[in-house]
Amino acid sequence: MKEQMIVGVGKGGQLLAPDGKTVLPPSGWVFLPAGDAGVTRRVTTAGKFWRVQVQKGRRSISKGVWAPAEVVQRAQKEMEALRATESHQKKLAGAAERRQKQQKAYEAEFYFSIRHWLNFHPDYDELAHRLAKAVTLHAIPVGSGTVARTTRIPVEERAAKAVIAWMRHQTTAYDRLNIARIKGERRRVRQLLAQTSQQVLSRYRQGQALHPDCPLLLALNKL
């Protein structure tokens, strides 16, 4: 019969039951770290297990599972056998090709979303292209952890946030600032820098003459 328990991790690394009490895995159990979804899925559908989770902000992140050693070993052997088959290799190759096509399509969509949001004056079209390309290359890779990889907001909003984030690091002193560890202070600093970046972008949108020391121009020229 399938049974599970969600356990947390204490400051000393000990396992904590839902009621907060320290617990020890049953004899003969081993820990299977998160990372191999196929093996984990077989283990968690086989019977008893403990899922280890940690809280990061509002998210619960799985660190892996504790389960009987024989169950884990059997699941690992089954996955090794499956992955060695020709049909599985073809499936993997097909999936990789589809992901690559999806990535290329999203890259183009993201680039043009940035261009649309920038809305630079025609005189600065070439700079708009360079900026959109730079932001896209930085933000778009899978696993980058940037706002471009989220699906919780529209792509147009992702594009705008990605530009402001790129400018924060490339055109301001943000990375060198000593920000006080006060709740909300980092957000306040980011908002102030975002306003400065918007002011810089507005000059390009209006077609104003640029000063040679324009932080955005200098950052683009370094690429």
Side-chain angles (χ1 to χ4, degrees):
M1 181 177 63
K2 179 180 177 181
E3 297 180 20
Q4 68 166 312
M5 179 169 71
I6 306 297
V7 298
V9 180
K11 292 183 178 180
Q14 71 273 25
L15 299 178
L16 303 177
D19 60 5
K21 294 182 179 179
T22 301
V23 292
L24 294 174
S27 176
W29 281 33
V30 296
F31 181 64
L32 175 65
D36 191 324
V39 174
T40 300
R41 186 163 50 249
R42 278 170 166 73
V43 170
T44 56
T45 57
K48 296 182 179 180
F49 67 93
W50 292 0
R51 189 180 300 278
V52 182
Q53 292 184 342
V54 295
Q55 199 70 24
K56 189 173 183 180
R58 298 180 180 179
R59 297 185 300 158
S60 293
I61 301 176
S62 177
K63 304 298 289 185
V65 296
W66 279 92
E70 64 271 15
V71 174
V72 174
Q73 292 168 2
R74 183 171 64 249
Q76 291 172 331
K77 289 180 180 179
E78 289 175 353
M79 284 306 301
E80 287 177 4
L82 174 63
R83 288 165 177 162
T85 62
E86 183 179 354
S87 61
H88 183 73
Q89 294 300 319
K90 289 182 178 179
K91 183 178 179 181
L92 288 179
E97 185 177 355
R98 286 192 297 274
R99 287 195 299 270
Q100 186 175 22
K101 288 181 179 179
Q102 292 171 351
Q103 176 71 1
K104 286 292 184 182
Y106 182 46
E107 182 177 331
E109 179 187 18
F110 197 75
Y111 166 83
F112 285 110
S113 294
I114 292 177
R115 288 295 303 266
H116 178 74
W117 181 77
L118 288 176
N119 191 31
F120 280 5
H121 187 277
D123 288 350
Y124 298 124
D125 184 72
E126 192 268 339
L127 289 176
H129 164 72
R130 288 165 58 189
L131 177 56
K133 194 69 175 179
V135 176
T136 299
L137 290 175
H138 167 76
I140 209 69
V142 176
S144 63
T146 67
V147 69
R149 301 310 310 182
T150 184
T151 57
R152 292 177 293 180
I153 57 177
V155 65
E156 296 80 9
E157 188 175 347
R158 288 176 235 163
K161 289 181 177 295
V163 172
I164 295 301
W166 186 90
M167 291 183 65
R168 180 170 63 246
H169 292 286
Q170 300 296 328
T171 69
T172 76
Y174 177 75
D175 293 333
R176 301 186 298 276
L177 292 178
N178 186 15
I179 300 175
R181 294 188 176 183
I182 302 173
K183 185 177 181 180
E185 180 63 11
R186 185 168 295 275
R187 182 182 296 110
R188 186 188 71 83
V189 171
R190 287 187 173 191
Q191 289 173 343
L192 290 174
L193 294 178
Q195 293 174 6
T196 300
S197 295
Q198 289 284 15
Q199 292 171 359
V200 171
L201 292 173
S202 69
R203 301 188 190 112
Y204 287 85
R205 290 173 177 138
Q206 297 168 15
Q208 296 180 8
L210 301 180
H211 192 278
D213 291 335
C214 170
L216 178 55
L217 184 61
L218 292 175
L220 290 174
N221 286 339
K222 289 180 181 179
L223 299 178

